[in-house]
Amino acid sequence: MSRIKRKRVGFRIDMTPMVDVAFLLLTFFMLTTKFRPPEVVQIDLPSSHSNMKLPESEVLTVTVAGDNSFYMGVSSQPTRERLFDSVIRQKLLNGGMSPAAVADSLNRFKLTDSFKIEKEELARYIMMSRFADQRMRPVIKADNNADYESVNYVIKVFKKMNLLNFNLVTVLEKEVR
């Protein structure tokens, strides 16, 4: 006597909730992602053999562009905000801007990596940044086409501010090839 086989019962997995969660996560990440703003100036860095990495925080960057203009950047947002309050806010208020426009400028200033400064103001901005945060590590980021005098001027300002240890940002030689 043969045994009666039971009919196999197939199972079905409903994938609809998983697809819903996947699209929900995708939408969340698309809406909350903040992209890094484009750099204010393009810098063609010189090459070197040094492979020392710069720290990502507490860095005071002075950039010398190819046209010998100066840009300054501060890595931490609280320091950037104190720098804005001590130097830029008074300048904007004296220029006739409304407090709402100054607050808007502060919000944009917090998001920028670097901002353009005049050569004569470089020492003042560096000093105020150092007052805001004593642990700031000075860094010079100079374009390959920048004049030696411009980079030397930044080094002299660092020396004048008693910042005797600073770094030069370069690209590794093997990255250039």
Side-chain angles (χ1 to χ4, degrees), residues 8-170:
R8 285 185 128 188
V9 178
F11 63 94
R12 184 170 174 241
I13 297 177
D14 188 14
M15 298 295 286
T16 307
M18 190 180 94
V19 171
D20 288 346
V21 169
F23 276 105
L24 191 68
L25 287 173
L26 180 67
T27 305
F28 171 77
F29 287 119
M30 286 174 55
L31 293 177
T32 59
T33 300
K34 288 184 178 178
F35 293 102
R36 184 177 180 186
E39 290 191 23
V40 176
V41 62
Q42 291 290 330
I43 300 293
D44 179 27
L45 294 173
S47 61
S48 75
H49 297 289
S50 174
N51 56 4
M52 186 180 129
K53 298 278 183 188
L54 280 178
E56 293 187 14
S57 62
E58 299 174 352
V59 175
L60 167 72
T61 306
V62 175
T63 304
V64 181
D67 60 349
N68 299 316
S69 57
F70 296 94
Y71 295 85
M72 192 174 136
V74 180
S75 62
S76 73
Q77 287 226 352
T79 306
R80 213 177 294 167
E81 194 170 334
R82 278 183 255 154
L83 180 66
F84 184 89
D85 287 339
S86 62
V87 179
I88 300 172
R89 181 181 298 273
Q90 282 303 316
K91 206 174 181 180
L92 294 177
L93 289 174
N94 291 340
M97 289 183 77
S98 68
V102 171
D104 186 46
S105 295
L106 173 62
N107 289 334
R108 278 189 278 139
F109 186 75
K110 282 194 235 175
L111 297 176
T112 58
D113 279 344
S114 61
F115 53 96
K116 188 173 184 173
I117 56 174
E118 298 298 321
K119 185 177 181 180
E120 301 79 30
E121 294 178 322
L122 181 64
R124 181 173 173 221
Y125 277 89
I126 291 173
M127 183 175 65
M128 296 312 288
S129 298
R130 292 287 291 177
F131 279 139
D133 188 357
Q134 292 285 324
R135 297 170 295 173
M136 298 294 281
R137 186 177 186 159
V139 170
I140 299 173
K141 187 176 177 183
D143 191 282
N144 213 6
N145 298 322
D147 289 341
Y148 169 76
E149 290 83 23
S150 299
V151 178
N152 193 32
Y153 177 77
V154 176
I155 293 172
K156 284 181 182 176
V157 169
F158 280 167
K159 283 182 181 176
K160 189 176 164 186
M161 298 289 148
N162 203 20
L163 297 169
L164 303 177
N165 294 326
F166 55 87
N167 295 88
L168 294 170
V169 178
T170 58

